[in-house]
C-alpha cells in the first residue's frame, strides 16, 4: 500500500483556479492508476480524473476542459489543476491509488482504488 496526502485546497472565487497536490510515499509500484475523487455535502463521492503510469488520462464530463490531471514521477506527486471553477466544484477532494497496469473502465468506481488520502477542501464562492 501507498500513503497519500493531499494539499492545495482552499477558498476561491468562481472563475478562479487552484492546483491540488497529492504526495505519494511508501510502497512504489511500477504500474498504477491514480485518481481524484470529490465529495460534496449531500452527494455521493464522484470520480473527477485518473491517470496511469503511462500518462493516459480520463476525466469526468463535468470537468473536461477545465481540470487537468498530471504527475511528477521524480517528486512522487500527483496534481489536479482546476480552472474556471464553479460553485458546483465545492467539495472535499481525495487522491486515490491502486496498483494496476492501466486505469480500467471502472475508474469512476470507488472500489477500484484501495489507497486513499484524507482529503483537502475546496470551496468556490
Amino acid at each position: 500500500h501507498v500513503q497519500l496526502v493531499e494539499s492545495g485546497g482552499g477558498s476561491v472565487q468562481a472563475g478562479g483556479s487552484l492546483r491540488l497536490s497529492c504526495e505519494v510515499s511508501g510502497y512504489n509500484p511500477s504500474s498504477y492508476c491514480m485518481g481524484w475523487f470529490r465529495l460534496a455535502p449531500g452527494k455521493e463521492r464522484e470520480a473527477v480524473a485518473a491517470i496511469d503510469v503511462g500518462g493516459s488520462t480520463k476525466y469526468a464530463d463535468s470537468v473536461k476542459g477545465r481540470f487537468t490531471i498530471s504527475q511528477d514521477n521524480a517528486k512522487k506527486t500527483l496534481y489536479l489543476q482546476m480552472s474556471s471553477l464553479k460553485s458546483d466544484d465545492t467539495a472535499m477532494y481525495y487522491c486515490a491509488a491502486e496498483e494496476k497496469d492501466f486505469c480500467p473502465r471502472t475508474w469512476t468506481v470507488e472500489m477500484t482504488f484501495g489507497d486513499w488520502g484524507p482529503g483537502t477542501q475546496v470551496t468556490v464562492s
Side-chain angles (χ1 to χ4, degrees), residues 53-81:
V53 65
S56 295
T57 57
K58 300 179 186 293
Y59 295 94
D61 288 342
S62 59
V63 305
K64 279 181 181 176
R66 300 188 300 121
F67 290 10
T68 301
I69 189 171
S70 63
Q71 57 193 351
D72 185 328
N73 292 329
K75 295 182 178 179
K76 295 185 180 180
T77 303
L78 178 73
Y79 301 101
L80 184 68
Q81 178 67 48

Side-chain angles (χ1 to χ4, degrees), residues 13-60:
Q13 290 188 336
S17 300
L18 277 176
R19 187 177 79 160
L20 306 183
S21 299
C22 173
E23 292 188 18
V24 182
S25 61
Y27 172 60
N28 191 19
S30 58
S31 298
Y32 56 82
C33 174
M34 295 196 69
W36 287 98
F37 284 71
R38 65 187 180 185
L39 179 62
K43 297 184 179 180
E44 295 185 354
R45 190 144 58 177
E46 173 191 25
V48 175
I51 187 168
D52 64 25
V53 65
S56 295
T57 57
K58 300 179 186 293
Y59 295 94

